[in-house]
Amino acid sequence: MSTERTFSIIKPDATRRNLTGAVTAKLEEAGLRVVASKRIHMSKEQAEGFYGVHRERPFFNDLVSFMISGPVVVQVLEGENAVLKNREVMGATNPANADAGTIRKEFAESIEANSVHGSDSAENAAIEIAFFFKPEEIVG
Ligand code: CMP
């Protein structure tokens, strides 16, 4: 067990429905600590850059349009095994496959409007955190 950091986005479907606090409560209940947080409206260039690994996927353009359709809350989460813990509390990408009690089961509208993003590895977490935060914006 080790303390690590992961990166989270509360997506436009959740901010639109005023669920920022409800989603954050789930993260905190799971033992994750919010050590950085800001509400932003991503530019098209930012969203395309952030999701660059998905550029060739058929859903890429729709994903980018959705992510810039409203404000998001980008966060750095810290805790024991934070990457795995966050993935567990988020639930499966498709809410139809998500376990009871997970964020996506309770809040997500669809596989695209699935309320949250979370890093899939510690390595990608470091890249994603650096995409949105300066070191001095993270206060553990
Ligand atoms: P996220 O963890 O943010 O990473 C990529 C996103 O693409 C994913 O969550 C989904 O919201 C979105 N997406 C839309 N359609 C699909 C799909 N068919 N398969 C996987 N991800 C999809």
Side-chain angles (χ1 to χ4, degrees):
M1 299 270 275
S2 64
T3 299
E4 64 182 8
R5 286 178 175 172
T6 191
F7 176 73
S8 169
I9 305 177
I10 303 177
K11 295 188 180 185
D13 66 286
T15 61
R16 177 171 46 77
R17 288 175 289 150
N18 208 20
L19 293 171
T20 298
V23 170
T24 303
K26 285 274 197 191
L27 300 172
E28 291 179 341
E29 281 161 19
L32 295 160
R33 180 175 293 271
V34 180
V35 295
S37 183
K38 58 187 169 189
R39 184 175 171 103
I40 60 170
H41 199 139
M42 270 194 228
S43 67
K44 187 163 182 277
E45 292 67 32
Q46 261 179 319
E48 286 175 346
F50 180 77
Y51 280 121
V53 293
H54 295 305
R55 194 171 288 276
E56 304 305 325
R57 307 283 286 272
F59 57 82
F60 179 73
N61 288 336
D62 286 345
L63 173 63
V64 168
S65 297
F66 168 65
M67 291 301 289
I68 65 173
S69 68
V72 300
V73 178
V74 291
Q75 296 176 318
V76 181
L77 309 176
E78 189 175 84
E80 297 284 326
N81 296 315
V83 172
L84 183 62
K85 209 173 258 183
N86 186 39
R87 292 184 71 75
E88 284 174 359
V89 71
M90 285 195 302
T93 305
N94 185 344
N97 302 327
D99 289 339
T102 61
I103 291 168
R104 285 167 170 161
K105 187 66 174 183
E106 291 202 7
F107 302 128
E109 296 180 318
S110 67
I111 192 169
E112 178 178 271
N114 65 355
S115 300
V116 278
H117 164 82
S119 308
D120 62 4
S121 66
E123 192 183 20
N124 282 335
I127 293 168
E128 293 176 356
I129 289 168
F131 194 90
F132 287 104
F133 290 97
K134 300 188 188 103
E136 63 268 28
E137 292 177 311
I138 305 167
V139 182

